[in-house]
Amino acid sequence: DIVMTQSPLSLPVTLGQPASISCRSSQIFVHSDGNTYLHWFQQRPGQSPRRLIHKVSNRDSGVPDRFSGSGSGTDFTLKISRVEAEDIGVYYCLQATHWPWTFGQGTKVEVK
Amino acid sequence: VQLVESGGGVVQPGRSLRLSCAASGLSFSGHGMHWVRQAPGKGLEWVAVISSDGRDKQYADSVKGRFTISRDNSKNTLYLQMNSLRAEDTAVYYCAKMDCGGDCPRDYWGQGTLVTVSS
């Protein structure tokens, strides 16, 4: 199975400042169709998760443009250009190329 | 779109439970569907997926051989049959539509149903 490792696991932020989360995989996971199915999810306190970014760098519909995803190979990054209060929660990366799909451990973004 | 899970509760180790997920507002039979779980205070764990026609299924190693995913497209309902339950299966179970073929349509998640395995 592909292991997804996120860092940091806890990220104290100052509102209005940028934030960055790393996700590293134990192996490259490029699909036979050429896509890398690396997605990012947000889970606000008390809510169900929702996807923010699909296939490394594509924002889902309705996701603010302060969120961006990048990376390739085994290293991926989620960036928030200016953290807002509604961004507080836990963020997960997901490898969705090979079965079984695997999530990272999660990164808790909280106000400093 | 709504996904509504039901069937959770308290169950003794070794016993069985069946979860349901009723879908509305989407073309249910056109999408693969997933179960994802979250132990109390822990992260997300992908559990299982079933193809749109129900023929193809995949499972996490932790549940393989004990859990069975199924669907009834005539009832717009997804199921998870959980047998030989263990304490470590205690979690909130979410059903989710999160396919990403083509232009990767948006995902949808239910509110989750809590399963507690305890004697």
Side-chain angles (χ1 to χ4, degrees):
Chain A
D1 298 0
I2 297 175
V3 177
M4 306 299 289
T5 303
Q6 289 183 227
S7 62
L9 299 184
S10 177
L11 183 57
V13 299
T14 300
L15 297 181
Q17 294 300 304
S20 179
I21 300 170
S22 170
C23 175
R24 291 184 172 172
S25 60
S26 58
Q27 63 189 74
I28 294 173
F29 53 98
V30 179
H31 195 276
S32 56
D33 64 9
N35 289 308
T36 296
Y37 289 90
L38 184 285
H39 309 322
W40 288 96
F41 291 80
Q42 175 194 62
Q43 188 176 30
R44 291 169 171 156
Q47 295 188 12
S48 301
R50 71 156 177 161
R51 196 175 63 209
L52 299 177
I53 302 287
H54 61 268
K55 290 185 285 186
V56 180
S57 59
N58 300 279
R59 270 190 306 277
D60 275 86
S61 175
V63 174
D65 60 7
R66 63 180 180 272
F67 290 94
S68 64
S70 63
S72 64
T74 60
D75 289 348
F76 304 92
T77 302
L78 175 69
K79 292 184 178 179
I80 311 174
S81 59
R82 295 174 306 279
V83 177
E84 298 190 5
E86 65 179 20
D87 301 335
I88 298 307
V90 183
Y91 292 79
Y92 298 91
C93 60
L94 169 69
Q95 173 282 123
T97 296
H98 298 303
W99 307 114
W101 287 11
T102 43
F103 283 97
Q105 318 98 300
T107 295
K108 186 174 185 179
V109 174
E110 51 196 351
V111 177
K112 191 180 294 183
Chain B
V1 174
Q2 270 201 313
L3 299 174
V4 180
E5 302 94 339
S6 61
V10 180
V11 61
Q12 293 180 328
R15 305 298 290 263
S16 300
L17 204 61
R18 189 177 83 155
L19 305 183
S20 299
C21 171
S24 60
L26 80 163
S27 177
F28 181 74
S29 62
H31 300 282
M33 295 293 296
H34 299 258
W35 287 100
V36 175
R37 69 183 181 182
Q38 185 169 36
K42 302 298 185 183
L44 301 174
E45 179 185 14
W46 177 84
V47 173
V49 64
I50 186 168
S51 61
S52 58
D53 62 6
R55 294 181 180 180
D56 296 317
K57 306 172 185 181
Q58 298 287 339
Y59 298 92
D61 294 342
S62 57
V63 307
K64 200 174 295 184
R66 299 187 300 122
F67 289 12
T68 301
I69 189 171
S70 63
R71 65 192 298 160
D72 186 337
N73 286 343
S74 69
K75 296 182 178 179
N76 288 349
T77 302
L78 175 72
Y79 302 101
L80 186 67
Q81 176 67 42
M82 304 186 294
N83 298 333
S84 303
L85 282 161
R86 306 167 179 167
E88 54 264 36
D89 296 319
T90 294
V92 173
Y93 285 74
Y94 296 100
C95 68
K97 177 196 101 54
M98 44 177 183
D99 50 336
C100 194
D103 60 358
C104 209
R106 68 152 290 179
D107 60 328
Y108 293 100
W109 294 65
Q111 83 290 346
T113 186
L114 176 62
V115 173
T116 302
V117 183
S118 173
S119 54

PDB file of all heavy atoms in Angstrom, chain A residues 9-36:
ATOM      1  N   LEU A   9       1.887  18.062  11.437  1.00  0.00           N
ATOM      2  CA  LEU A   9       0.601  17.525  11.859  1.00  0.00           C
ATOM      3  C   LEU A   9      -0.239  18.589  12.552  1.00  0.00           C
ATOM      4  O   LEU A   9      -1.462  18.461  12.616  1.00  0.00           O
ATOM      5  CB  LEU A   9       0.815  16.329  12.782  1.00  0.00           C
ATOM      6  CG  LEU A   9       1.565  15.152  12.161  1.00  0.00           C
ATOM      7  CD1 LEU A   9       1.636  13.982  13.139  1.00  0.00           C
ATOM      8  CD2 LEU A   9       0.928  14.712  10.850  1.00  0.00           C
ATOM      9  N   SER A  10       0.438  19.606  13.060  1.00  0.00           N
ATOM     10  CA  SER A  10      -0.241  20.741  13.670  1.00  0.00           C
ATOM     11  C   SER A  10       0.373  22.016  13.110  1.00  0.00           C
ATOM     12  O   SER A  10       1.608  22.118  13.015  1.00  0.00           O
ATOM     13  CB  SER A  10      -0.096  20.713  15.193  1.00  0.00           C
ATOM     14  OG  SER A  10      -0.691  21.856  15.769  1.00  0.00           O
ATOM     15  N   LEU A  11      -0.479  22.949  12.701  1.00  0.00           N
ATOM     16  CA  LEU A  11       0.006  24.165  12.068  1.00  0.00           C
ATOM     17  C   LEU A  11      -0.695  25.377  12.671  1.00  0.00           C
ATOM     18  O   LEU A  11      -1.801  25.753  12.249  1.00  0.00           O
ATOM     19  CB  LEU A  11      -0.243  24.102  10.553  1.00  0.00           C
ATOM     20  CG  LEU A  11       0.254  25.265   9.700  1.00  0.00           C
ATOM     21  CD1 LEU A  11       1.758  25.468   9.891  1.00  0.00           C
ATOM     22  CD2 LEU A  11      -0.073  25.017   8.233  1.00  0.00           C
ATOM     23  N   PRO A  12      -0.054  26.018  13.663  1.00  0.00           N
ATOM     24  CA  PRO A  12      -0.618  27.265  14.208  1.00  0.00           C
ATOM     25  C   PRO A  12      -0.396  28.382  13.204  1.00  0.00           C
ATOM     26  O   PRO A  12       0.718  28.542  12.691  1.00  0.00           O
ATOM     27  CB  PRO A  12       0.196  27.481  15.492  1.00  0.00           C
ATOM     28  CG  PRO A  12       0.937  26.197  15.725  1.00  0.00           C
ATOM     29  CD  PRO A  12       1.146  25.590  14.368  1.00  0.00           C
ATOM     30  N   VAL A  13      -1.452  29.111  12.901  1.00  0.00           N
ATOM     31  CA  VAL A  13      -1.349  30.173  11.898  1.00  0.00           C
ATOM     32  C   VAL A  13      -1.871  31.485  12.445  1.00  0.00           C
ATOM     33  O   VAL A  13      -2.671  31.521  13.373  1.00  0.00           O
ATOM     34  CB  VAL A  13      -2.147  29.795  10.621  1.00  0.00           C
ATOM     35  CG1 VAL A  13      -1.593  28.531   9.987  1.00  0.00           C
ATOM     36  CG2 VAL A  13      -3.637  29.640  10.942  1.00  0.00           C
ATOM     37  N   THR A  14      -1.390  32.554  11.815  1.00  0.00           N
ATOM     38  CA  THR A  14      -1.904  33.889  12.081  1.00  0.00           C
ATOM     39  C   THR A  14      -2.842  34.251  10.941  1.00  0.00           C
ATOM     40  O   THR A  14      -2.478  34.104   9.761  1.00  0.00           O
ATOM     41  CB  THR A  14      -0.761  34.908  12.161  1.00  0.00           C
ATOM     42  OG1 THR A  14       0.131  34.539  13.221  1.00  0.00           O
ATOM     43  CG2 THR A  14      -1.302  36.313  12.415  1.00  0.00           C
ATOM     44  N   LEU A  15      -4.054  34.666  11.304  1.00  0.00           N
ATOM     45  CA  LEU A  15      -5.007  35.020  10.254  1.00  0.00           C
ATOM     46  C   LEU A  15      -4.413  36.084   9.343  1.00  0.00           C
ATOM     47  O   LEU A  15      -3.806  37.056   9.811  1.00  0.00           O
ATOM     48  CB  LEU A  15      -6.320  35.495  10.867  1.00  0.00           C
ATOM     49  CG  LEU A  15      -7.066  34.455  11.701  1.00  0.00           C
ATOM     50  CD1 LEU A  15      -8.381  35.023  12.252  1.00  0.00           C
ATOM     51  CD2 LEU A  15      -7.341  33.191  10.913  1.00  0.00           C
ATOM     52  N   GLY A  16      -4.613  35.879   8.036  1.00  0.00           N
ATOM     53  CA  GLY A  16      -4.069  36.819   7.072  1.00  0.00           C
ATOM     54  C   GLY A  16      -2.694  36.436   6.556  1.00  0.00           C
ATOM     55  O   GLY A  16      -2.215  37.015   5.572  1.00  0.00           O
ATOM     56  N   GLN A  17      -2.065  35.483   7.217  1.00  0.00           N
ATOM     57  CA  GLN A  17      -0.738  35.014   6.817  1.00  0.00           C
ATOM     58  C   GLN A  17      -0.854  33.732   5.996  1.00  0.00           C
ATOM     59  O   GLN A  17      -1.852  33.023   6.070  1.00  0.00           O
ATOM     60  CB  GLN A  17       0.150  34.785   8.040  1.00  0.00           C
ATOM     61  CG  GLN A  17       0.479  36.068   8.800  1.00  0.00           C
ATOM     62  CD  GLN A  17       1.223  37.059   7.917  1.00  0.00           C
ATOM     63  OE1 GLN A  17       2.279  36.762   7.338  1.00  0.00           O
ATOM     64  NE2 GLN A  17       0.657  38.248   7.791  1.00  0.00           N
ATOM     65  N   PRO A  18       0.184  33.405   5.211  1.00  0.00           N
ATOM     66  CA  PRO A  18       0.140  32.178   4.410  1.00  0.00           C
ATOM     67  C   PRO A  18       0.371  30.931   5.246  1.00  0.00           C
ATOM     68  O   PRO A  18       0.905  31.006   6.362  1.00  0.00           O
ATOM     69  CB  PRO A  18       1.276  32.380   3.398  1.00  0.00           C
ATOM     70  CG  PRO A  18       2.218  33.317   4.079  1.00  0.00           C
ATOM     71  CD  PRO A  18       1.375  34.217   4.938  1.00  0.00           C
ATOM     72  N   ALA A  19      -0.035  29.801   4.681  1.00  0.00           N
ATOM     73  CA  ALA A  19       0.188  28.508   5.324  1.00  0.00           C
ATOM     74  C   ALA A  19       0.490  27.473   4.252  1.00  0.00           C
ATOM     75  O   ALA A  19      -0.009  27.578   3.118  1.00  0.00           O
ATOM     76  CB  ALA A  19      -1.024  28.086   6.141  1.00  0.00           C
ATOM     77  N   SER A  20       1.272  26.470   4.626  1.00  0.00           N
ATOM     78  CA  SER A  20       1.677  25.448   3.666  1.00  0.00           C
ATOM     79  C   SER A  20       1.704  24.086   4.348  1.00  0.00           C
ATOM     80  O   SER A  20       2.201  23.956   5.466  1.00  0.00           O
ATOM     81  CB  SER A  20       3.062  25.790   3.095  1.00  0.00           C
ATOM     82  OG  SER A  20       3.490  24.813   2.177  1.00  0.00           O
ATOM     83  N   ILE A  21       1.168  23.094   3.657  1.00  0.00           N
ATOM     84  CA  ILE A  21       1.124  21.717   4.168  1.00  0.00           C
ATOM     85  C   ILE A  21       1.780  20.801   3.152  1.00  0.00           C
ATOM     86  O   ILE A  21       1.496  20.877   1.953  1.00  0.00           O
ATOM     87  CB  ILE A  21      -0.326  21.272   4.411  1.00  0.00           C
ATOM     88  CG1 ILE A  21      -1.004  22.178   5.443  1.00  0.00           C
ATOM     89  CG2 ILE A  21      -0.375  19.813   4.879  1.00  0.00           C
ATOM     90  CD1 ILE A  21      -2.509  21.966   5.562  1.00  0.00           C
ATOM     91  N   SER A  22       2.633  19.923   3.650  1.00  0.00           N
ATOM     92  CA  SER A  22       3.340  18.988   2.784  1.00  0.00           C
ATOM     93  C   SER A  22       2.723  17.598   2.866  1.00  0.00           C
ATOM     94  O   SER A  22       2.258  17.168   3.931  1.00  0.00           O
ATOM     95  CB  SER A  22       4.811  18.918   3.199  1.00  0.00           C
ATOM     96  OG  SER A  22       5.475  17.860   2.533  1.00  0.00           O
ATOM     97  N   CYS A  23       2.742  16.904   1.755  1.00  0.00           N
ATOM     98  CA  CYS A  23       2.260  15.516   1.703  1.00  0.00           C
ATOM     99  C   CYS A  23       3.257  14.727   0.853  1.00  0.00           C
ATOM    100  O   CYS A  23       3.481  15.080  -0.320  1.00  0.00           O
ATOM    101  CB  CYS A  23       0.870  15.467   1.090  1.00  0.00           C
ATOM    102  SG  CYS A  23       0.201  13.803   0.842  1.00  0.00           S
ATOM    103  N   ARG A  24       3.838  13.713   1.442  1.00  0.00           N
ATOM    104  CA  ARG A  24       4.804  12.888   0.710  1.00  0.00           C
ATOM    105  C   ARG A  24       4.322  11.453   0.632  1.00  0.00           C
ATOM    106  O   ARG A  24       3.799  10.913   1.610  1.00  0.00           O
ATOM    107  CB  ARG A  24       6.174  12.951   1.383  1.00  0.00           C
ATOM    108  CG  ARG A  24       6.830  14.301   1.249  1.00  0.00           C
ATOM    109  CD  ARG A  24       8.228  14.358   1.815  1.00  0.00           C
ATOM    110  NE  ARG A  24       8.865  15.623   1.477  1.00  0.00           N
ATOM    111  CZ  ARG A  24      10.035  16.020   1.953  1.00  0.00           C
ATOM    112  NH1 ARG A  24      10.710  15.245   2.783  1.00  0.00           N
ATOM    113  NH2 ARG A  24      10.538  17.177   1.598  1.00  0.00           N
ATOM    114  N   SER A  25       4.520  10.835  -0.504  1.00  0.00           N
ATOM    115  CA  SER A  25       4.080   9.466  -0.708  1.00  0.00           C
ATOM    116  C   SER A  25       5.272   8.519  -0.704  1.00  0.00           C
ATOM    117  O   SER A  25       6.406   8.908  -0.995  1.00  0.00           O
ATOM    118  CB  SER A  25       3.320   9.332  -2.024  1.00  0.00           C
ATOM    119  OG  SER A  25       4.143   9.708  -3.114  1.00  0.00           O
ATOM    120  N   SER A  26       4.999   7.264  -0.372  1.00  0.00           N
ATOM    121  CA  SER A  26       6.064   6.259  -0.291  1.00  0.00           C
ATOM    122  C   SER A  26       6.515   5.787  -1.677  1.00  0.00           C
ATOM    123  O   SER A  26       7.560   5.131  -1.793  1.00  0.00           O
ATOM    124  CB  SER A  26       5.589   5.065   0.537  1.00  0.00           C
ATOM    125  OG  SER A  26       4.420   4.488  -0.032  1.00  0.00           O
ATOM    126  N   GLN A  27       5.716   6.116  -2.690  1.00  0.00           N
ATOM    127  CA  GLN A  27       6.108   5.780  -4.062  1.00  0.00           C
ATOM    128  C   GLN A  27       5.335   6.656  -5.034  1.00  0.00           C
ATOM    129  O   GLN A  27       4.318   7.249  -4.666  1.00  0.00           O
ATOM    130  CB  GLN A  27       5.857   4.299  -4.357  1.00  0.00           C
ATOM    131  CG  GLN A  27       4.392   3.894  -4.292  1.00  0.00           C
ATOM    132  CD  GLN A  27       4.191   2.397  -4.374  1.00  0.00           C
ATOM    133  OE1 GLN A  27       4.455   1.664  -3.420  1.00  0.00           O
ATOM    134  NE2 GLN A  27       3.741   1.933  -5.537  1.00  0.00           N
ATOM    135  N   ILE A  28       5.832   6.746  -6.243  1.00  0.00           N
ATOM    136  CA  ILE A  28       5.142   7.505  -7.283  1.00  0.00           C
ATOM    137  C   ILE A  28       3.846   6.779  -7.646  1.00  0.00           C
ATOM    138  O   ILE A  28       3.791   5.543  -7.683  1.00  0.00           O
ATOM    139  CB  ILE A  28       6.047   7.682  -8.511  1.00  0.00           C
ATOM    140  CG1 ILE A  28       7.242   8.570  -8.140  1.00  0.00           C
ATOM    141  CG2 ILE A  28       5.291   8.263  -9.687  1.00  0.00           C
ATOM    142  CD1 ILE A  28       8.289   8.678  -9.235  1.00  0.00           C
ATOM    143  N   PHE A  29       2.782   7.554  -7.912  1.00  0.00           N
ATOM    144  CA  PHE A  29       1.496   6.938  -8.218  1.00  0.00           C
ATOM    145  C   PHE A  29       0.828   7.616  -9.405  1.00  0.00           C
ATOM    146  O   PHE A  29      -0.263   8.168  -9.315  1.00  0.00           O
ATOM    147  CB  PHE A  29       0.584   6.909  -6.977  1.00  0.00           C
ATOM    148  CG  PHE A  29       0.387   8.246  -6.301  1.00  0.00           C
ATOM    149  CD1 PHE A  29      -0.745   9.011  -6.545  1.00  0.00           C
ATOM    150  CD2 PHE A  29       1.322   8.734  -5.383  1.00  0.00           C
ATOM    151  CE1 PHE A  29      -0.944  10.223  -5.897  1.00  0.00           C
ATOM    152  CE2 PHE A  29       1.134   9.942  -4.735  1.00  0.00           C
ATOM    153  CZ  PHE A  29      -0.002  10.692  -5.009  1.00  0.00           C
ATOM    154  N   VAL A  30       1.475   7.517 -10.533  1.00  0.00           N
ATOM    155  CA  VAL A  30       0.902   8.025 -11.771  1.00  0.00           C
ATOM    156  C   VAL A  30       0.006   6.957 -12.379  1.00  0.00           C
ATOM    157  O   VAL A  30       0.408   5.803 -12.541  1.00  0.00           O
ATOM    158  CB  VAL A  30       1.999   8.418 -12.776  1.00  0.00           C
ATOM    159  CG1 VAL A  30       1.367   8.925 -14.071  1.00  0.00           C
ATOM    160  CG2 VAL A  30       2.920   9.469 -12.170  1.00  0.00           C
ATOM    161  N   HIS A  31      -1.216   7.332 -12.692  1.00  0.00           N
ATOM    162  CA  HIS A  31      -2.168   6.392 -13.289  1.00  0.00           C
ATOM    163  C   HIS A  31      -1.765   6.096 -14.737  1.00  0.00           C
ATOM    164  O   HIS A  31      -1.047   6.881 -15.366  1.00  0.00           O
ATOM    165  CB  HIS A  31      -3.568   7.003 -13.241  1.00  0.00           C
ATOM    166  CG  HIS A  31      -4.680   6.032 -13.490  1.00  0.00           C
ATOM    167  ND1 HIS A  31      -5.085   5.701 -14.766  1.00  0.00           N
ATOM    168  CD2 HIS A  31      -5.470   5.340 -12.637  1.00  0.00           C
ATOM    169  CE1 HIS A  31      -6.090   4.839 -14.686  1.00  0.00           C
ATOM    170  NE2 HIS A  31      -6.336   4.608 -13.400  1.00  0.00           N
ATOM    171  N   SER A  32      -2.273   4.989 -15.254  1.00  0.00           N
ATOM    172  CA  SER A  32      -1.980   4.640 -16.641  1.00  0.00           C
ATOM    173  C   SER A  32      -2.548   5.673 -17.619  1.00  0.00           C
ATOM    174  O   SER A  32      -2.119   5.739 -18.781  1.00  0.00           O
ATOM    175  CB  SER A  32      -2.538   3.253 -16.965  1.00  0.00           C
ATOM    176  OG  SER A  32      -3.930   3.198 -16.695  1.00  0.00           O
ATOM    177  N   ASP A  33      -3.509   6.502 -17.142  1.00  0.00           N
ATOM    178  CA  ASP A  33      -4.050   7.546 -18.013  1.00  0.00           C
ATOM    179  C   ASP A  33      -3.203   8.819 -17.977  1.00  0.00           C
ATOM    180  O   ASP A  33      -3.545   9.822 -18.585  1.00  0.00           O
ATOM    181  CB  ASP A  33      -5.505   7.868 -17.653  1.00  0.00           C
ATOM    182  CG  ASP A  33      -5.691   8.462 -16.263  1.00  0.00           C
ATOM    183  OD1 ASP A  33      -4.684   8.796 -15.605  1.00  0.00           O
ATOM    184  OD2 ASP A  33      -6.847   8.599 -15.808  1.00  0.00           O
ATOM    185  N   GLY A  34      -2.104   8.770 -17.225  1.00  0.00           N
ATOM    186  CA  GLY A  34      -1.181   9.896 -17.162  1.00  0.00           C
ATOM    187  C   GLY A  34      -1.440  10.855 -16.015  1.00  0.00           C
ATOM    188  O   GLY A  34      -0.615  11.733 -15.744  1.00  0.00           O
ATOM    189  N   ASN A  35      -2.573  10.706 -15.335  1.00  0.00           N
ATOM    190  CA  ASN A  35      -2.903  11.602 -14.227  1.00  0.00           C
ATOM    191  C   ASN A  35      -2.343  11.080 -12.901  1.00  0.00           C
ATOM    192  O   ASN A  35      -2.204   9.872 -12.693  1.00  0.00           O
ATOM    193  CB  ASN A  35      -4.417  11.739 -14.076  1.00  0.00           C
ATOM    194  CG  ASN A  35      -5.039  12.546 -15.198  1.00  0.00           C
ATOM    195  OD1 ASN A  35      -4.604  13.655 -15.488  1.00  0.00           O
ATOM    196  ND2 ASN A  35      -6.052  11.980 -15.835  1.00  0.00           N
ATOM    197  N   THR A  36      -2.053  12.028 -12.034  1.00  0.00           N
ATOM    198  CA  THR A  36      -1.697  11.706 -10.649  1.00  0.00           C
ATOM    199  C   THR A  36      -2.898  12.086  -9.790  1.00  0.00           C
ATOM    200  O   THR A  36      -3.226  13.264  -9.650  1.00  0.00           O
ATOM    201  CB  THR A  36      -0.449  12.479 -10.204  1.00  0.00           C
ATOM    202  OG1 THR A  36       0.669  12.064 -11.003  1.00  0.00           O
ATOM    203  CG2 THR A  36      -0.152  12.203  -8.732  1.00  0.00           C
TER     204      THR A  36
END
